[in-house]
Amino acid sequence: MAETSTQGGETLLFLTDEQLRKGIEAMFFAYRGFTADPDRILDQHGYGRAHHRAIHFINRQPGLTVTTLLAVLGVTKQSLNRVLRTLIEDGLVENRVGRRDKRERHLYLTPTGEALERELSGAQRERMRSAYRAAGPQAVAGFRQVLEAMIDPDMRRHYQMMKDGS
Amino acid sequence: MAETSTQGGETLLFLTDEQLRKGIEAMFFAYRGFTADPDRILDQHGYGRAHHRAIHFINRQPGLTVTTLLAVLGVTKQSLNRVLRTLIEDGLVENRVGRRDKRERHLYLTPTGEALERELSGAQRERMRSAYRAAGPQAVAGFRQVLEAMIDPDMRRHYQMMKDGS
DNA sequence: CTTGGAAAGTCAACAAGGCTGACATAAAAT
DNA sequence: ATTTTATGTCAGCCTTGTTGACTTTCCAAG
């Protein structure tokens, strides 16, 4: 793939534009695969990818506030609210007033919401698991390292927050 | 990351749901980073991500037909046409009637189109390059392996086609 | 205690980019 | 001569993003 050489103990990478381009295309096609299974499931339930994202992060960090979710998702509150409203109306998400700060609303999945979350993440994990298996353990480590290095600095704190569990 | 053990010469992966979940989130945040730079540039030119995808693949395989591009992008012709029309009107893409089969239209970037393509892919390659550098040469190989394993089987032929240059 | 600002929510309007369905034309294939 | 393929177009719909304006509730600092 990328030829390497050592110079003064440091490993150098020779990356041609062509190699980088292949990485870009792999990213494009892989992301499509990554979202394909959830998209099918969501469609059956009458939801879209935006609902999935909300459900995912509420499940990941139960009780997070609307503002936090807004920052993680990187959308406007009007956009999020449209999605969140339907999820609350449909009884998938619950909205509890904050104990300390009563302005805040803390978001939780209901049992119904958790069921959908399991269905969605189950499919996604299955694809991820089989990709990991096909690529092997060494590849898995590299995969995460490169992805993490691609995350925007502004977003990295949100990623870390989720990663470490609040 | 993922603990490994050897059993009969085969390496096994122990992947917890938690580890898979982290991979899923890394994918989510990384894709955002991946599209961030081009999105900014496109916005300045009054285009969107859909234009970028068309430009990318026309550049990758000059002279490809509309039907091929349709299959690669996985959208409807109505959707692609909206995008393609503006690119042709703005003089970024050229539409030549097929020599052998006169029903076909072969797509090419004009010099203006190529200039925008370079601007877009330059930014994207730069991010990819710095992620590669941060992660190291071993990681790079693994990254591509996992991504390729995640691609949908139906899409893999398109990926290969682009990868090998037609 | 008042007042300023933060958290949440809502309405309206708009745009990009998906989708379906219907239809038209030119050219190739049968 | 007829059917099929490749392309393009019109119309209309949906989701999900955006701005801007405005309200209510509540915390916190003066």
Side-chain angles (χ1 to χ4, degrees):
Chain A
M1 159 152 272
E3 305 96 61
T4 61
S5 82
T6 13
Q7 188 188 20
E10 233 193 65
T11 306
L12 297 179
L13 270 177
F14 295 107
L15 296 164
T16 65
D17 282 4
E18 185 53 27
Q19 286 169 329
L20 292 165
R21 218 178 271 273
K22 283 177 190 168
I24 289 168
E25 262 158 38
M27 194 72 186
F28 170 73
F29 286 113
Y31 197 77
R32 287 251 295 262
F34 174 70
T35 54
D37 302 325
D39 282 352
R40 268 189 293 276
I41 295 166
L42 288 159
D43 200 58
Q44 292 165 9
H45 292 258
Y47 295 121
R49 217 175 273 183
H51 300 86
H52 185 189
R53 292 196 282 262
I55 288 171
H56 174 95
F57 287 111
I58 295 172
N59 176 71
R60 202 67 156 89
Q61 199 175 321
L64 89 178
T65 65
V66 173
T67 307
T68 306
L69 184 52
L70 237 32
V72 171
L73 295 176
V75 297
T76 59
K77 72 177 166 187
Q78 293 92 329
S79 197
L80 173 59
N81 222 263
R82 197 160 31 196
V83 163
L84 221 41
R85 194 167 4 176
T86 73
L87 290 175
I88 291 170
E89 279 169 3
D90 297 354
L92 302 193
V93 168
E94 203 189 335
N95 205 341
R96 298 189 206 149
V97 174
R99 278 203 300 103
R100 280 215 318 267
D101 188 333
K102 290 182 197 157
R103 291 171 304 178
E104 294 179 343
R105 299 298 141 93
H106 299 270
L107 302 169
Y108 298 88
L109 293 185
T110 65
T112 318
E114 281 174 352
L116 179 55
E117 196 285 329
R118 273 193 301 274
E119 197 181 347
L120 291 167
S121 69
Q124 208 156 29
R125 276 201 306 273
E126 212 28 72
R127 163 140 357 206
M128 187 71 69
R129 196 193 313 274
S130 90
Y132 276 5
R133 264 206 277 263
Q138 273 228 326
V140 170
F143 171 70
R144 272 267 294 279
Q145 282 168 32
V146 174
L147 283 189
E148 290 181 7
M150 278 182 53
I151 296 174
D152 227 275
D154 311 1
M155 275 297 130
R156 190 158 293 135
R157 60 197 189 86
H158 296 299
Y159 173 69
Q160 286 297 338
M161 191 174 66
M162 291 299 171
K163 193 176 154 191
D164 318 334
S166 182
Chain B
M1 160 154 275
E3 304 97 62
T4 61
S5 82
T6 14
Q7 188 187 19
E10 231 194 66
T11 307
L12 297 178
L13 270 177
F14 296 106
L15 296 165
T16 64
D17 281 5
E18 184 53 27
Q19 286 169 328
L20 292 165
R21 217 178 270 275
K22 283 177 191 169
I24 289 169
E25 262 158 37
M27 195 70 187
F28 170 73
F29 286 113
Y31 197 76
R32 287 250 296 261
F34 175 69
T35 55
D37 302 324
D39 282 353
R40 268 189 294 275
I41 295 167
L42 289 158
D43 199 59
Q44 293 165 8
H45 292 257
Y47 296 121
R49 218 174 273 182
H51 300 86
H52 184 188
R53 293 196 281 261
I55 288 172
H56 174 95
F57 287 111
I58 294 171
N59 176 70
R60 201 69 156 84
Q61 200 174 321
L64 89 178
T65 65
V66 174
T67 308
T68 306
L69 185 53
L70 236 32
V72 171
L73 295 176
V75 298
T76 60
K77 74 177 164 182
Q78 293 92 329
S79 199
L80 174 60
N81 222 263
R82 195 161 32 194
V83 162
L84 221 41
R85 191 166 5 173
T86 73
L87 290 175
I88 291 169
E89 278 170 3
D90 296 355
L92 301 193
V93 168
E94 204 189 334
N95 206 342
R96 298 189 206 148
V97 173
R99 277 205 298 105
R100 282 215 317 266
D101 189 333
K102 290 182 199 158
R103 291 172 304 179
E104 294 180 343
R105 299 300 142 93
H106 299 269
L107 302 169
Y108 299 88
L109 293 185
T110 65
T112 319
E114 281 175 352
L116 179 55
E117 196 285 328
R118 273 193 300 275
E119 197 181 345
L120 292 166
S121 70
Q124 208 157 29
R125 278 201 305 273
E126 211 28 73
R127 174 165 317 232
M128 188 71 70
R129 196 194 311 274
S130 90
Y132 276 4
R133 264 205 277 264
Q138 273 230 324
V140 171
F143 171 70
R144 273 265 295 278
Q145 282 169 33
V146 174
L147 283 189
E148 289 180 8
M150 277 181 53
I151 296 174
D152 227 275
D154 311 2
M155 275 298 129
R156 190 158 292 134
R157 59 195 189 88
H158 296 299
Y159 173 68
Q160 287 297 339
M161 191 174 66
M162 292 299 173
K163 192 176 155 191
D164 320 332
S166 183

